[in-house]
Amino acid sequence: MNLNLSAIWVKLQNMLQSVILIVPNLLIGVVIFFVFVFVARLISRTVLALAERSGQSRGIALIFSRIASWITLGIGLLVALTIIFPTLTAASLFGALGVSGVAIGFAFKDIFQNLLAGILILITRPFRIGDQIVTGAHEGTVEDIQVRATLLKTYDNRRVVVPNSELYTNRVVVNTAYDHRRLSVAVGIGYGDDIAEAKSLILDTLGKIDGILADPAPSVLVDTLGDSSVNLNVRFWIDPPLRLEAVETQDQVLERLKSVLIEAGIDLPMPTQQVLFHDQTEEVDGDRRRQREGWPSRKDNPPTRQQLRRDSESAAPQPSNQPSSLEKQVPAEDNPA
């Protein structure tokens, strides 16, 4: 069996010739890519310096510099590929990148959404690291604002990782956005108590508690007339507006107000209920001018118990006071003295 190795040798020669021809393009492409790496570092430093000069925070400046660096490296990679592979035109390359970009966009939609939301949060700064916020069912202190998520430390020492897209699109309450914070507690007094006196006592007590600001001044307003008490809304301001100070100040206010109001003879009534049982036992039932509460007016009221008792007594035979026949037959002398 004779083997013809000439075809194989020719093919190997062609492959070797192709590799030799591509070596210059490969070297030029690598050199061009390293040039873009150098340019990317230079651009990154420039963007970082410009962002810091404009007053942006260190984190935002780093993000801008990294984005500029990634864009420069991406352009350098595309240029190097077109040099190494001459048959790869820019149109075909961008067309392939467009199709693959759509697929990648659908696959990593949530990641890109959180990335963009994180950049917008760092730029707009609706809250900062150290602020105490409320988002959804979570409340705590912001530990870190990353590109993908924000780290929240709850008051019971737990960490909550909140995606930036949720923070950017949903409502967020920033409790420490301002220097002062207003708190309020509810105090109920009796209906027979003097409201003006109760207000004066409450305001005097608030003025003696440390941590409550005199300006803005505390206030006491009548909130509602409850079922068993007149409810007062006690408002006061604290500084700093942290959760710890808010809880401790509310504790002091309620403790002081309870003792002061009781010593002054102000009633702090508990919820009470009055239950009325009506079975038409009163003559006034059905008469709105005289009846008790809770019984509807009627024209065909059945007779009351008092009326039935009087009717039964009038219909019953009256007992006779005359002596019986046996008593008449007994002689007077036989009766004992």
Side-chain angles (χ1 to χ4, degrees):
M1 181 176 178
N2 295 326
L3 296 177
N4 189 5
L5 301 178
S6 59
I8 299 176
W9 178 249
V10 172
K11 192 172 184 65
L12 290 175
Q13 285 181 341
N14 293 332
M15 294 176 61
L16 181 60
Q17 186 176 2
S18 300
V19 171
I20 294 174
L21 292 175
I22 205 176
V23 167
N25 294 339
L26 180 61
L27 294 177
I28 295 174
V30 171
V31 171
I32 293 296
F33 180 75
F34 278 106
V35 170
F36 272 94
V37 170
F38 175 77
V39 173
R41 291 181 179 178
L42 183 61
I43 292 177
S44 176
R45 295 176 183 176
T46 304
V47 172
L48 180 62
L50 292 176
E52 290 181 347
R53 287 181 183 178
S54 62
Q56 299 293 336
S57 63
R58 179 72 178 179
I60 298 177
L62 287 174
I63 289 177
F64 285 159
S65 64
R66 289 173 183 174
I67 292 175
S69 176
W70 294 341
I71 293 175
T72 306
L73 289 177
I75 296 174
L77 180 61
L78 295 179
V79 173
L81 289 177
T82 55
I83 293 176
I84 295 173
F85 304 101
T87 57
L88 184 63
T89 62
S92 61
L93 183 60
F94 281 107
L97 290 176
V99 175
S100 60
V102 173
I104 293 174
F106 278 108
F108 298 94
K109 179 182 67 174
D110 294 336
I111 296 178
F112 291 150
Q113 185 177 4
N114 291 324
L115 174 63
L116 180 59
I119 294 174
L120 293 176
I121 289 174
L122 290 173
I123 295 175
T124 58
R125 289 186 291 183
F127 54 85
R128 304 178 181 181
I129 296 176
D131 282 338
Q132 294 182 350
I133 65 173
V134 181
T135 171
H138 305 290
E139 180 178 359
T141 305
V142 178
E143 283 189 323
D144 191 12
I145 303 175
Q146 300 178 354
V147 177
R148 189 194 69 84
T150 297
L151 303 182
L152 198 66
K153 182 179 180 181
T154 61
Y155 301 130
D156 54 355
N157 202 26
R158 293 184 297 172
R159 172 175 292 178
V160 180
V161 181
V162 184
N164 289 328
S165 59
E166 295 184 6
L167 292 175
Y168 193 76
T169 57
N170 297 333
R171 297 179 180 178
V172 178
V173 179
V174 184
N175 291 330
T176 55
Y178 303 102
D179 295 334
H180 302 161
R181 180 180 176 183
R182 193 189 72 183
L183 303 176
S184 62
V185 296
V187 177
I189 63 175
Y191 273 89
D193 296 324
D194 188 356
I195 298 178
E197 181 184 358
K199 287 184 176 181
S200 178
L201 288 173
I202 292 174
L203 292 176
D204 291 341
T205 305
L206 294 178
K208 300 176 182 178
I209 297 177
D210 296 334
I212 296 181
L213 300 178
D215 186 19
S219 61
V220 182
L221 303 175
V222 178
D223 191 5
T224 56
L225 300 178
D227 296 335
S228 57
S229 63
V230 178
N231 298 322
L232 305 179
N233 189 7
V234 182
R235 301 178 179 181
F236 51 91
W237 296 79
I238 63 172
D239 181 18
L242 300 177
R243 174 69 175 177
L244 178 61
E245 279 71 14
V247 173
E248 291 181 350
T249 306
Q250 285 181 337
D251 173 72
Q252 295 181 22
V253 168
L254 292 175
E255 182 178 355
R256 296 277 189 89
L257 290 182
K258 178 179 180 295
S259 60
V260 169
L261 293 176
I262 291 178
E263 290 178 359
I266 303 295
D267 188 18
L268 300 178
M270 295 180 292
T272 57
Q273 291 182 346
Q274 183 179 7
V275 182
L276 302 177
F277 295 95
H278 288 285
D279 56 356
Q280 297 165 330
T281 60
E282 301 178 358
E283 294 182 356
V284 296
D285 284 340
D287 187 355
R288 288 193 179 275
R289 295 170 298 178
R290 298 184 298 163
Q291 71 177 3
R292 294 191 296 171
E293 298 86 351
W295 190 250
S297 176
R298 296 178 56 181
K299 294 182 180 180
D300 55 345
N301 286 330
T304 62
R305 291 184 180 180
Q306 291 85 348
Q307 185 177 355
L308 291 175
R309 187 180 298 111
R310 288 195 298 267
D311 294 343
S312 62
E313 290 177 354
S314 62
Q318 298 295 331
S320 177
N321 294 328
Q322 299 295 331
S324 62
S325 58
L326 294 177
E327 292 177 349
K328 291 180 181 180
Q329 295 176 1
V330 177
E333 61 272 19
D334 294 337
N335 291 334

